[in-house]
Amino acid sequence: MRETQHRQRKGESEMGGKRGKQQRQPARPRLRDLSSFVDESDHLPSSAYDPPSHQDKESGASEEEDDPRAEEKWIDGPPSKFELYQRSVQSPKGDISYMQKFFLMYVGGRMPLHLQEDFCGTALLSCEWIRSDPRRTAVGLDLDLEALNWCLEKNLANIGIDGCSRISLFHGNVLKPQEAHLVKQMVEDFGRKGQDITTEVARMNVGSESGKEVCSISSTMKEVGLPGRDIICAFNYSCCCLQRRTDLVMYFKHALHALSKKGGIFVMDVYGGTSAECKLRLKRKFPNFTYVWEQADFDIINRTTRISLHFQLGKKHIIQHAFSYNWRLWSLPEIQDCLEEAGFCSVHFWVRKMPNTNSFGNTAEDTVDQDLKYEELSSFQQQDAWNAYIVGVAN
Ligand SMILES: C[S@@+](CC[C@H](N)C(=O)[O-])C[C@H]1O[C@@H](n2cnc3c(N)ncnc32)[C@H](O)[C@@H]1O
């Protein structure tokens, strides 16, 4: 969840395979060659916690000022909270672009093909990963069966039968990944060309008679033969769901174990800044709805807060507490310590200053360039708001 409350730059990924750029790539690019691999100019990663633009300030526009006809604009009725979440806070092309860059910098020698998206929710990132290259596979893992089912019904329909055959979704806890249950089989070929994808996915979920299933519906991750992952990611501050240090280290150990023995990276994100440690309410307007990020009081002893996401569709339709999370706000050095304790060889911080949450004017001081990129840094002075990627390198 991070540019309007979090990140919304959309665009085609240069690494997406559609433009055939990967064919021109040398085996292990030098750093200075990376610009030819990654183009971040069009998109930033997705994020739920992005301070709003000046027009979006809480005190600037109330929910009552929302377009009263907004709900009428939804042709098929109001969208689900998952649809609204994806539109508000996710921009998977940006995340993928950065992940590729990190992989090529810290591992290199091959293209990353196998992704695991932990805390995947509706696995939008995994679906985009699958679309970006026909050789790619993705594994999604989440506790929320409703989100996974929504993915099966909606997101998988957009990646075609071939795409569906390369994605596996697991229902379970990241702290016990081997026990997570498959909710969608990895299949080699589960449909005849042209067959309705939704029907095929639905059949797969109850044990398809058509197609060649690789594993049964009750398979756990342990029983399923998955390739070593090149990249494992945990985005939109998901690691903040783990509140105990022992759990964070255990989770990182599981991630390290699942990475390819040929080398791989773990990538997570976190937000921070002075605005992150107080009560805060931020709004972002979209054409047909308003997204609200609500941050409860911050407990400085436990470093915890409660985050609630609300959606307002016109005057009448409000989805209060569409998503709520009890989070521990981990600091960057705490995360580094835990990654190193889990066995990661090196840890890298990529940081981006975010627009001030409390600035109302348009002065140069409080206006942050929305195109500002993440930079690898070893020191960064405290700001009102920042976002960071943390990259753990396996070997
Ligand atoms: C903030 S959402 C992030 C969703 C998605 N990754 C994104 O980028 O928007 C956190 C997700 O983590 C899941 N989750 C929380 N604790 C978990 C756990 N211990 N194991 C697996 N999933 C968990 C929740 O169900 C939720 O879908």
Side-chain angles (χ1 to χ4, degrees):
M1 306 175 271
R2 300 166 238 181
E3 164 199 321
T4 50
Q5 245 3 310
H6 309 270
R7 311 174 238 181
Q8 271 105 224
R9 293 292 168 93
K10 313 257 185 212
E12 275 308 315
S13 167
E14 290 292 322
M15 297 295 292
K18 288 183 183 163
R19 300 177 197 176
K21 285 209 169 185
Q22 70 273 35
Q23 278 140 31
R24 296 202 298 270
Q25 293 161 7
R28 187 181 180 113
R30 285 180 301 246
L31 287 191
R32 68 168 190 276
D33 299 322
L34 281 169
S35 56
S36 63
F37 291 83
V38 181
D39 179 0
E40 300 138 22
S41 57
D42 291 337
H43 35 77
L44 283 168
S46 56
S47 164
Y49 173 74
D50 278 348
S53 62
H54 297 298
Q55 305 92 294
D56 299 328
K57 296 291 173 198
E58 170 65 15
S59 59
S62 74
E63 277 153 30
E64 283 67 48
E65 288 167 41
D66 288 341
D67 182 350
R69 296 160 302 169
E71 61 263 50
E72 294 162 21
K73 294 177 194 156
W74 303 102
I75 295 164
D76 300 322
S80 81
K81 64 176 190 174
F82 297 114
E83 175 75 37
L84 294 166
Y85 176 90
Q86 290 191 171
R87 290 196 198 192
S88 312
V89 307
Q90 292 194 286
S91 182
K93 287 187 169 101
D95 288 318
I96 290 173
S97 184
Y98 272 102
M99 288 196 296
Q100 288 169 152
K101 175 174 181 160
F102 300 149
F103 184 87
L104 294 171
M105 282 183 78
Y106 303 125
V107 180
R110 65 187 199 275
M111 281 298 289
L113 297 180
H114 307 301
L115 173 76
Q116 178 162 321
E117 183 186 8
D118 285 337
F119 306 93
C120 67
T122 58
L124 184 66
L125 178 68
S126 291
C127 292
E128 189 55 44
W129 178 262
I130 289 293
R131 283 152 63 107
S132 66
D133 188 317
R135 299 166 297 170
R136 285 184 158 166
T137 71
V139 173
L141 170 61
D142 201 283
L143 269 181
D144 184 353
L145 195 53
E146 192 190 352
L148 294 169
N149 279 331
W150 193 88
C151 171
L152 291 175
E153 198 185 321
K154 305 286 184 189
N155 287 343
L156 257 52
N158 297 326
I159 58 173
I161 287 172
D162 167 64
C164 285
S165 73
R166 292 182 281 121
I167 187 168
S168 305
L169 297 179
F170 288 88
H171 176 225
N173 192 329
V174 296
L175 298 175
K176 294 180 179 172
Q178 300 297 347
E179 295 172 20
H181 281 264
L182 197 60
V183 293
K184 173 214 162 296
Q185 293 93 326
M186 179 83 84
V187 292
E188 288 165 345
D189 173 16
F190 67 90
R192 292 159 290 286
K193 289 251 179 321
Q195 187 131 7
D196 174 47
I197 185 83
T198 317
T199 312
E200 286 300 329
V201 168
R203 271 191 206 158
M204 282 166 49
N205 291 321
V206 294
S208 169
E209 286 170 15
S210 70
K212 304 166 199 157
E213 291 163 9
V214 171
C215 44
S216 81
I217 193 69
S218 59
S219 299
T220 60
M221 196 182 279
K222 191 176 178 183
E223 293 158 353
V224 179
L226 295 168
R229 269 66 94 205
D230 298 316
I231 301 176
I232 297 180
C233 65
F235 284 147
N236 264 324
Y237 323 129
S238 294
C239 286
C240 296
C241 296
L242 304 177
Q243 299 206 3
R244 296 188 317 166
R245 190 180 186 282
T246 47
D247 285 345
L248 194 63
V249 173
M250 189 196 299
Y251 167 58
F252 290 162
K253 283 183 180 168
H254 286 306
L256 184 64
H257 179 74
L259 284 171
S260 168
K261 302 300 167 253
K262 291 185 284 175
I265 54 169
F266 169 76
V267 190
M268 61 174 280
D269 60 356
V270 73
Y271 69 99
T274 50
S275 66
E277 302 186 10
C278 59
K279 205 169 168 172
L280 184 69
R281 192 175 159 96
L282 301 169
K283 293 173 68 173
R284 182 72 185 186
K285 283 195 174 194
F286 288 84
N288 290 358
F289 67 97
T290 300
Y291 162 79
V292 182
W293 159 284
E294 189 175 11
Q295 205 169 281
D297 286 318
F298 189 76
D299 174 343
I300 58 158
I301 295 179
N302 297 297
R303 291 196 56 79
T304 52
T305 187
R306 183 165 181 80
I307 302 295
S308 300
L309 308 185
H310 318 289
F311 298 104
Q312 167 95 33
L313 299 93
K315 267 191 173 166
K316 291 182 208 145
H317 198 86
I318 306 171
I319 310 179
Q320 289 281 13
H321 301 280
F323 299 92
S324 293
Y325 311 105
N326 287 314
W327 277 352
R328 157 133 191 194
L329 205 52
W330 295 98
S331 72
L332 296 179
E334 281 175 323
I335 294 167
Q336 177 170 21
D337 276 356
C338 292
L339 282 167
E340 288 172 352
E341 191 171 320
F344 282 88
C345 288
S346 62
V347 177
H348 306 266
F349 299 117
W350 287 71
V351 188
R352 179 183 177 228
K353 180 183 187 316
M354 304 303 287
N356 274 9
T357 53
N358 57 358
S359 61
F360 293 89
N362 260 328
T363 63
E365 229 177 39
D366 54 34
T367 303
V368 170
D369 180 359
Q370 297 290 320
D371 294 326
L372 216 62
K373 307 278 192 297
Y374 286 79
E375 279 184 281
E376 181 169 13
L377 297 171
S378 56
S379 172
F380 182 77
Q381 301 308 310
Q382 180 64 302
Q383 303 288 335
D384 174 68
W386 51 262
N387 264 319
Y389 280 116
I390 300 106
V391 186
V393 182
N395 48 36

